[in-house]
Amino acid sequence: MQTQKVIDHIVNWLKDYAEKSGVKGYVIGVSGGVDSGVVSTLAAMTGLKTLLIEMPIRQKEDQVNRAWEHMNDLKSKFPNVEAMSVNLTPAFEELYKTFDVHDDKFPNEKLAFANTRSRLRMLTLYYYGQINGLLVCGTGNKVEDFGIGFYTKYGDGGVDISPIADLYKTEVYELAKALNLVKNIQEAIPTDGLWDAERTDEMQIGATYPELEKIQKEWGTKTETDYSGRDLEVFKIFSRMNKAAQHKINPIPVCDINEEWRA
């Protein structure tokens, strides 16, 4: 990949979009992962106001430390960057007490709470975005957004603009290296940080990003019969998750009304 051309293109795209939209810049949620690390750096390179927000919810210390190491690094390099932390744990705990039900009757409760964390962060980004005249900048990559739908609808999927949604995860890592992000961000193991117990993306999905990318690049040109061994296992994972994520990937269905009925 021609990383510098990609970097320049995204930076100019972000700058042009903000100027045409009449906003001051972007707000980005920084998790301590490579996706938000790359996006926040690209936004900072526009020269426009870039507000970075770390939003811990029962967060592990290493994730918080990585996020702040990255944010402090960007602040030292770009005068247009501001960083802050909004502790959402108290707000989440109140929601937890309000929503909590019996797990044996509702086995999806833990997943629902994981998604609630993501949606609480989305709400926070839009609040600070609105009071500062900023757009919410998404951090989803191509596999997550358009392959397996590995994101929360109206959570981290609730954004105004998606600068790296056409890049595979391995390509995001290439940009992280080219942008010289702090080492801990470049080497961070992908995780959504939405669970109390450590659950990496690979643990949740059952496949690595390079494995998923191979299937996504061949999606629509090959069928299950074309695969065997590990590739077949990953194809089945990708196929199952892609099918389940169509309500995220496709626009919201709208029931069309016959114009004759309006008379």
Side-chain angles (χ1 to χ4, degrees):
M1 184 174 68
Q2 300 180 57
T3 54
Q4 193 56 51
K5 285 188 176 181
V6 173
I7 289 169
D8 292 341
H9 174 70
I10 296 175
V11 171
N12 289 330
W13 183 77
L14 284 169
K15 188 174 182 179
D16 290 345
Y17 192 91
E19 291 175 347
K20 290 176 181 177
S21 300
V23 298
K24 299 176 181 177
Y26 295 100
V27 58
I28 301 105
V30 176
S31 64
V34 69
D35 292 327
S36 65
V38 166
V39 169
S40 55
T41 303
L42 294 171
M45 291 171 69
T46 65
L48 301 173
K49 182 172 180 177
T50 303
L51 177 59
L52 313 181
I53 306 182
E54 186 255 339
M55 300 169 283
I57 302 176
R58 298 180 177 178
Q59 222 64 35
K60 296 187 178 303
E61 186 177 359
D62 63 321
Q63 295 172 6
V64 174
N65 291 341
R66 276 202 313 272
W68 270 104
E69 182 182 3
H70 169 69
M71 293 193 295
N72 285 330
D73 181 63
L74 279 191
K75 284 175 62 180
S76 70
K77 295 175 179 176
F78 300 94
N80 55 308
V81 170
E82 298 177 18
M84 62 185 294
S85 179
V86 179
N87 183 9
L88 296 177
T89 299
F92 177 75
E93 296 298 354
E94 287 300 315
L95 287 173
Y96 188 90
K97 288 188 291 184
T98 302
F99 293 162
D100 193 25
V101 294
H102 294 293
D103 290 3
D104 54 341
K105 292 183 179 179
F106 300 93
N108 283 331
E109 186 193 28
K110 286 185 173 58
L111 176 59
F113 272 130
N115 286 327
T116 298
R117 295 191 194 196
S118 184
R119 290 173 179 135
L120 185 55
R121 288 177 176 141
M122 179 275 293
L123 181 154
T124 304
L125 290 174
Y126 271 96
Y127 171 80
Y128 284 99
Q130 188 162 23
I131 65 173
N132 287 283
L134 308 172
L135 292 177
V136 176
C137 197
T139 61
N141 59 66
K142 191 167 187 172
V143 175
E144 294 170 341
D145 284 6
F146 301 112
I148 58 174
F150 192 63
Y151 62 90
T152 298
K153 195 173 185 178
Y154 306 123
D156 50 329
V159 300
D160 293 317
I161 190 169
S162 294
I164 63 168
D166 196 33
L167 290 174
Y168 290 105
K169 188 80 168 187
T170 52
E171 293 175 327
V172 176
Y173 275 108
E174 287 186 56
L175 289 195
K177 183 177 181 180
L179 292 167
N180 195 30
L181 267 59
V182 295
K183 188 177 180 181
N184 282 335
I185 294 292
Q186 292 191 47
E187 298 177 351
I189 298 173
T191 178
D192 58 18
L194 299 177
W195 305 83
D196 290 336
E198 185 64 47
R199 297 184 65 176
T200 66
D201 290 359
E202 184 177 349
M203 290 167 61
Q204 294 186 65
I205 299 168
T208 66
Y209 280 101
E211 288 176 328
L212 293 165
E213 289 174 20
K214 179 181 187 300
I215 301 301
Q216 187 167 357
K217 290 174 182 178
E218 299 170 345
W219 190 247
T221 65
K222 292 187 177 182
T223 64
E224 185 174 327
T225 57
D226 295 311
Y227 296 100
S228 62
R230 177 58 180 168
D231 285 345
L232 177 58
E233 293 177 6
V234 178
F235 176 87
K236 290 180 178 179
I237 292 171
F238 187 97
S239 180
R240 172 178 52 79
M241 295 187 71
N242 179 270
K243 182 178 180 180
Q246 289 304 303
H247 70 100
K248 301 181 185 180
I249 298 171
N250 293 319
I252 298 172
V254 174
C255 180
D256 292 328
I257 303 300
N258 192 316
E259 285 299 322
E260 294 179 358
W261 301 343
R262 299 183 190 274

